[in-house]
Each structure stands twice: as C-alpha cells, then as structure tokens.
C-alpha cells in the first residue's frame, strides 16, 4: 500500500513539473515527464489527457487522439462532479484534436456532446462558435456566441469578450463592406512591414525579392524549383546578401492583421461571403498575405488534377511580376497542394508584395474553371471546408516554408 502511494506521489510530482515545463515553453520535456509518470503509475486519466495536450502542442496529433480517447474510456462509469468536469474537459480536447485533423464535423459533435450534459461549460460553447464561424455558418456561430454573452453562469470577462465579438460581427454585416477589404488590410500591413525591412537591409547591401536560380545543362539559368515540388513552384527569397548568398526572412510567422473596428474578428477565422460570384467564395478574417491558404472544394472530381493547373498558371504569372512592378511585387513561394477532403485541397501561397489584383485574377480564373468543373466552395484564408466525407489525414504533415511573425496591427 505504501509503495502504491509512493508511486502515486511521484506521478503527481512529475505531472506538476510537466505543467511548469509547459508554462516555460518546454513541451518536449513535459512529454518525457508524463510518459515516465504513466510508466511508473500505470494508466491515469489525468496523466493521459495531459500527455495528449502536450502532444497537440508538439504537432503530434496522431499520438494525441488515442491518449485522450483512452482517458475518456477510463472515466466511463465514474460518478461525481470531479469526473464530470474531467469528462467535459477531455471531450473538448477531443474536439481540438478533430479540428487539427481537419474534421470540423467531429469537432462539432464533440462540443455538442459536452453541452448536452453541461450547457454551462463556456469553453465548449466558445469552441463550437469558433467551429461554426470557420465553416462560414455566421448565423449559427453568432447564436452560440450570443448565448455565451448573456449566460449569467459564465464569468463576466468571458461574457464581455463574447459581446464584443457579436457587436463586431453585427457592425461588419450592417456596414455592407466587401470582404475583400480584409485581404487588402492584410496585404497593406504586410507590405509596409516588408518595405521597412527591405529599406533597412538595403543599407547593408542586401536585395529584396531575388529569385533563386540554377544553371541548366545547356549553360542557361532558370528559376530553381525545390526537389519534389510542383514544376511551377519556383522560389524567391525575401532578402539576400549578394556578396555571401545569405538569405533572410521577413518575420518568422504568417502575419495576421487586426482591423480597426473589427478587432474581435481577428481572434478566430470567420468566413465572410464574397457576393456576386457564380460559386461559393469566402474570405477569412485571418488571411495572411505572406502565407495565404487557397482552399478549393469541388462538387466532384480530383481537386489536384482539376485545380492545380489553374493555380500553377496563376502562380507563374505572379512569380514573373504580372501583379507587381518592374523591381518588386512578385510571388515568392507556393507549397504542394494539401488534400483535405475527398474533393478538396489547399495551396499556401506567399504573395510577396504583389498587388491585391492578384486575388481578383485568381477569382476570375476560378470562375472560368467553375463553368467546366463545378466548385462547391473556395476559401481565401484560414477556415474549414465543409465536410464531403471522411477527412484525408496524411501520414505526415506537409512540408511548409518557415512562416513569419504575427503583427496584429491595424492598417
């Protein structure tokens, strides 16, 4: 009995140290501590759940799911308020796992499961609202956020945040503003930041937006395409020192811009409908210009085979400067298409300092494609394509270019 108590105490100490590691930004150390505690103490729901949360932080979603599912299974039949709270929290983590797996239907079902038994559990209500907004379900998302804002059981700070969100959404809908304005805001703020960085780098002899070239067998130079990438996926670097070849990035995370008057809408992706288009097109309130997701869902057919030629021709035009000037404003990078549905895929594009007419040109080309291959939905920016069957879960996450620093500044 004493030995069992000692093992439990040791596991508790390891869990507390893991929490400190998480707070200090050391999730890998926290993972090791929790795995050690589980090996010594045996399966415990709280430790399994904590491990799943850490694995989510490390991007190991495939590992997180079985751990949180096992934690929930161990709670089955357990009575009492503590068990009910743990069940709600673990199920909400399962919703987060589903979101990371690009399974909004699964995430929504998990939130609804929590709210059925605990309608006052505010995190489940706000998570459900976020899922709905990311799907473009503005009315349903607003309804959930409004419920949160008026529920007296919810702490006032959370109610105030929900009220501010609802007010900002209502203000935008009443304004009649075109959602393209969110793309313009992201582009203008990013380009101002890029200009500042480029001017500073120029004083040291660096140049901006240089293409990466390789020498062909016939002795001519051509833009370099990374090995295994799409044949059109040539690369420009943000900044380069021509004397040494050293390269520099403008920032280190994709830049999400906060617009004045609509600040709460930048907290999560909210899909806003683009009017006057022959297919369902949405602009996200999170649309980083330096890593813009272009998400396309077909009614049927292979999205890569059907859409990639359009993306390739558009990217080539942008890379060669069709949407820029003689010495600036060219596309920098495009990632491989990421399949996310049976008929859906996403391309992530760094538009550099290209003009916003680049987006208009893409919309025109997709409208032309729609006449031949019906498009169910297109999203410019972050958000979720509607389900059209089980999500496609790649064995490994796609390779992506290092991103850029978020600067939540209003243009």
């Amino acid at each position: 009995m004493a030995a069992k108590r000692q093992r439990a105490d040791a596991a508790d100490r390891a869990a507390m140290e893991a929490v400190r590691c998480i707070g200090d930004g050391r999730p890998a150390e926290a993972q090791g501590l929790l795995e050690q505690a589980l090996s010594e103490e045996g399966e415990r729901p709280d430790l399994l759940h904590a491990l799943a949360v850490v694995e989510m932080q490390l991007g190991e979603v495939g590992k997180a799911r079985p751990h949180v599912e096992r934690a929930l299974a161990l709670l089955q039949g357990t009575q009492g308020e503590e068990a009910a709270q743990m069940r709600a929290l673990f199920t909400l983590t399962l919703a987060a796992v589903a979101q990371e797996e690009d399974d909004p239907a699964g995430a929504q079902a998990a939130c609804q499961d929590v709210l059925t038994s605990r309608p006052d559990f505010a995190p489940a209500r706000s998570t459900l609202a976020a899922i709905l907004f990311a799907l473009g379900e503005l009315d349903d998302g607003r309804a959930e956020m409004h419920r949160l804002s008026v529920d007296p059981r919810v702490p006032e700070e959370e109610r105030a945040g929900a009220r501010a969100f609802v007010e900002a959404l209502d203000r935008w809908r009443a304004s009649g503003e075109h959602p393209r304005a969110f793309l313009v805001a992201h582009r203008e703020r990013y380009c101002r930041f890029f200009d500042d960085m480029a001017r500073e780098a120029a004083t040291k002899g660096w140049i901006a937006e240089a293409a990466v070239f390789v020498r062909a067998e016939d002795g001519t130079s051509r833009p370099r395409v990374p090995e295994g990438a799409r044949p059109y996926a040539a690369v420009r670097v943000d900044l380069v020192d021509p004397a040494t070849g050293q390269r520099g990035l403008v920032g280190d995370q994709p830049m999400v811009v906060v617009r004045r008057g609509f600040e709460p809408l930048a907290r999560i992706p909210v899909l806003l409908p683009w009017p006057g288009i022959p297919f369902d097109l949405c602009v996200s309130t999170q649309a980083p210009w330096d890593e813009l997701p272009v998400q396309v869902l077909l009614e049927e057919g292979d999205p890569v085979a059907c859409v990639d030629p359009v993306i390739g021709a558009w990217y080539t035009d942008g890379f060669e400067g069709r949407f820029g000037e003689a010495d600036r404003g060219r596309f920098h990078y495009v990632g491989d298409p990421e399949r996310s549905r049976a008929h859906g895929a996403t391309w992530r594009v760094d538009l550099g300092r290209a003009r916003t007419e680049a987006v208009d040109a893409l919309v025109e080309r997709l409208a032309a494609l729609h006449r031949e291959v019906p498009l169910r939905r297109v999203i410019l920016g972050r958000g979720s394509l509607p389900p059209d069957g089980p999500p496609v879960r790649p064995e490994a996450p796609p390779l992506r270019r290092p991103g850029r620093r978020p600067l939540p500044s209003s243009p």
Side-chain angles (χ1 to χ4, degrees), residues 198-209:
R199 279 192 294 269
E200 180 181 348
T203 65
K204 304 173 184 177
W206 290 50
I207 59 176
E209 299 193 49

Side-chain angles (χ1 to χ4, degrees), residues 183-226:
L183 290 165
V184 172
H186 279 81
R187 186 263 173 194
E188 290 182 353
R189 182 63 190 91
Y190 174 69
C191 288
R192 286 205 303 272
F193 178 56
F194 196 117
D195 289 345
D196 291 342
M197 296 287 289
R199 279 192 294 269
E200 180 181 348
T203 65
K204 304 173 184 177
W206 290 50
I207 59 176
E209 299 193 49
V212 180
F213 285 92
V214 295
R215 190 170 296 280
E217 292 181 0
D218 60 3
T220 60
S221 295
R222 57 178 174 79
R224 176 180 174 272
V225 175

Side-chain angles (χ1 to χ4, degrees), residues 277-302:
I277 298 295
F279 57 91
D280 183 5
L281 172 63
C282 295
V283 174
S284 174
T285 57
Q286 292 190 357
W289 195 252
D290 51 332
E291 192 184 283
L292 182 68
V294 178
Q295 305 185 60
V296 183
L297 181 65
L298 306 181
E299 290 289 354
E300 59 182 6
D302 183 341

Side-chain angles (χ1 to χ4, degrees), residues 157-387:
E157 183 177 356
E158 293 183 48
R159 280 185 285 155
R163 282 197 300 272
F165 193 99
V166 169
E167 290 167 1
L169 178 63
D170 289 348
R171 190 160 52 249
W172 180 81
R173 297 177 90 174
S175 73
E177 180 185 72
H178 198 287
R180 185 179 181 275
F182 282 87
L183 290 165
V184 172
H186 279 81
R187 186 263 173 194
E188 290 182 353
R189 182 63 190 91
Y190 174 69
C191 288
R192 286 205 303 272
F193 178 56
F194 196 117
D195 289 345
D196 291 342
M197 296 287 289
R199 279 192 294 269
E200 180 181 348
T203 65
K204 304 173 184 177
W206 290 50
I207 59 176
E209 299 193 49
V212 180
F213 285 92
V214 295
R215 190 170 296 280
E217 292 181 0
D218 60 3
T220 60
S221 295
R222 57 178 174 79
R224 176 180 174 272
V225 175
E227 184 178 355
R230 312 303 285 182
Y232 57 80
V235 175
R236 291 183 183 276
V237 295
D238 293 350
L239 302 167
V240 65
D241 181 353
T244 65
Q246 182 180 350
R247 304 176 186 180
L249 281 172
V250 174
D252 57 12
Q253 291 292 325
M255 182 187 290
V256 174
V257 172
V258 176
R259 296 191 58 211
R260 290 194 183 97
F262 305 111
E263 290 85 352
L265 301 186
R267 297 203 315 250
I268 57 174
V270 181
L271 299 190
L272 307 174
W274 184 309
I277 298 295
F279 57 91
D280 183 5
L281 172 63
C282 295
V283 174
S284 174
T285 57
Q286 292 190 357
W289 195 252
D290 51 332
E291 192 184 283
L292 182 68
V294 178
Q295 305 185 60
V296 183
L297 181 65
L298 306 181
E299 290 289 354
E300 59 182 6
D302 183 341
V304 175
C306 295
V307 183
D308 196 61
V310 175
I311 298 293
W314 172 69
Y315 180 79
T316 299
D317 282 349
F319 184 85
E320 294 177 350
R322 179 170 177 177
F323 314 116
E325 314 299 335
D327 60 345
R328 57 174 284 163
R330 298 163 185 258
F331 289 3
H332 288 197
Y333 173 85
V334 59
D336 290 342
E338 306 163 22
R339 295 180 183 271
S340 55
R341 297 285 184 276
H343 306 300
T346 299
W347 291 258
R348 300 179 190 275
V349 188
D350 179 349
L351 286 80
R353 291 183 286 180
R355 298 188 299 268
T356 44
E357 69 183 62
V359 170
D360 301 326
L362 175 61
V363 171
E364 290 177 5
R365 296 176 192 214
L366 291 173
L369 176 65
H370 178 66
R371 291 193 288 270
E372 304 294 330
V373 181
L375 306 178
R376 182 177 171 192
R377 170 168 285 184
V378 173
I379 300 172
L380 301 178
R382 297 173 179 173
S384 299
L385 292 171

Side-chain angles (χ1 to χ4, degrees), residues 120-144:
D120 61 333
F121 194 60
R125 184 79 61 193
S126 60
T127 300
L128 177 58
I131 294 166
L132 293 167
F133 283 126
L135 286 166
E137 303 291 343
L138 298 185
D139 292 336
D140 290 344
R142 185 194 182 282
E144 295 297 336

Side-chain angles (χ1 to χ4, degrees), residues 78-101:
T78 306
Q79 303 298 318
E81 178 60 20
E82 182 180 1
Q85 289 180 351
M86 292 173 68
R87 204 157 18 240
L89 179 61
F90 296 0
T91 304
L92 192 58
T93 299
L94 193 60
V97 170
Q99 283 181 286
E100 288 297 317
E101 293 176 332

